[in-house]
Amino acid sequence: ITGGFTSNIASTFVVTGAGSTFTATSALTVATGSTINILAGGSVSSGGTLAIGNPGAGTVTVDGNASSFSGGTTTIGNGSLTFTNASTGTFGGLNLNGSNGTVSIQSGATATATSLQVVIGAALNTGTVTINGANSALTVSGAGVTTVGGSSLSMATLNVQNDGVFNSGTGNITVNATGDIAITDGRFNANGNVTVNGGSLTRDATGLFVMTSGKTLTAQGGGTASFGGFQNFNGVNVTVTGAGSAMTMTAKSLNING
């Protein structure tokens, strides 16, 4: 399609099979109750922005090895984006900013974005990003930033679980007051400075939270960082400041080397 494409009525689009493609040279919008299913090696791409669930609801499902979904800055309002079974996604900024947005990456699927924002405004919105299962990963590339939550009202969650992996960019990682990063038997690779600014960061005893040497972890504004079991900070600067701010762990020792 030359130019943009918007689903103005509730519709279902299926792109299935190796070599099957749907391409818009400009913006692509999946909304008003519409669904796109990308299956068995199919591919959907946009030469411009992507919008899912604004206006109305929107759903995109990407399933199967070699199935892919890609575009520029991607906004998820009242909608869902799901990757399963070794499918892939490539985006500009990935922004959840609507009433109820979800991103799920599971069963060996992978996605890459230049930044990640999960409901960072002060509005009654909910956003959830979940990376679940072995070989499943979400990567923020380059110097991209990761921001989870806002100052009030919203509810934002980044779940990394069951051997799933989140790789941050080298830009700042910020967990604001309405944000929560939960690492449950998953791995969080923090390649930038981490600021828990009133929100929470938790890791269970089987999860991994790994920070690049020379970076800083700060809990401030009532933010909390909680680690199940032993936590090693090799060459990492750790600061806990302000009333209500805390860092806790269940192990009897903490290693801060550097």
Side-chain angles (χ1 to χ4, degrees):
I1 295 175
T2 301
F5 177 82
T6 301
S7 54
N8 291 317
I9 59 175
S11 307
T12 298
F13 303 87
V14 179
V15 181
T16 184
S20 301
T21 62
F22 180 97
T23 302
T25 61
S26 187
L28 173 62
T29 300
V30 185
T32 325
S34 292
T35 297
I36 293 181
N37 295 321
I38 308 164
L39 310 172
S43 175
V44 173
S45 62
S46 167
T49 59
L50 292 168
I52 302 172
N54 187 18
T59 302
V60 175
T61 299
V62 192
D63 179 74
N65 185 38
S67 299
S68 65
F69 184 48
S70 62
T73 299
T74 300
T75 302
I76 302 173
N78 181 26
S80 65
L81 172 58
T82 302
F83 294 92
T84 54
N85 294 316
S87 59
T88 62
T90 306
F91 309 101
L94 183 57
N95 305 320
L96 286 73
N97 66 356
S99 59
N100 188 12
T102 63
V103 174
S104 179
I105 302 167
Q106 55 192 355
S107 56
T110 59
T112 301
T114 60
S115 64
L116 175 65
Q117 295 183 337
V118 186
V119 286
I120 65 173
L124 290 171
N125 294 328
T126 300
T128 304
V129 176
T130 300
I131 307 129
N132 182 41
N135 300 314
S136 303
L138 173 60
T139 298
V140 176
S141 60
V145 301
T146 298
T147 307
V148 181
S151 60
S152 63
L153 300 177
S154 66
M155 182 180 297
T157 306
L158 172 56
N159 295 310
V160 188
Q161 56 196 38
N162 300 322
D163 293 321
V165 177
F166 177 79
N167 301 303
S168 84
T170 58
N172 291 334
I173 304 154
T174 305
V175 191
N176 287 316
T178 66
D180 177 39
I181 293 177
I183 307 160
T184 309
D185 194 30
R187 181 182 178 113
F188 191 108
N189 293 320
N191 299 306
N193 295 323
V194 177
T195 302
V196 186
N197 184 37
S200 65
L201 185 157
T202 60
R203 175 190 58 73
D204 73 355
T206 57
L208 291 171
F209 177 74
V210 181
M211 288 193 70
T212 298
S213 178
K215 299 301 180 179
T216 299
L217 169 64
T218 303
Q220 64 183 37
T224 59
S226 177
F227 303 100
F230 178 77
Q231 177 62 39
N232 181 50
F233 291 113
N234 185 16
V236 173
N237 303 304
V238 177
T239 300
V240 180
T241 181
S245 304
M247 184 172 69
T248 62
M249 61 214 66
T250 59
K252 295 181 179 179
S253 63
L254 167 70
N255 182 30
I256 301 176
N257 180 13

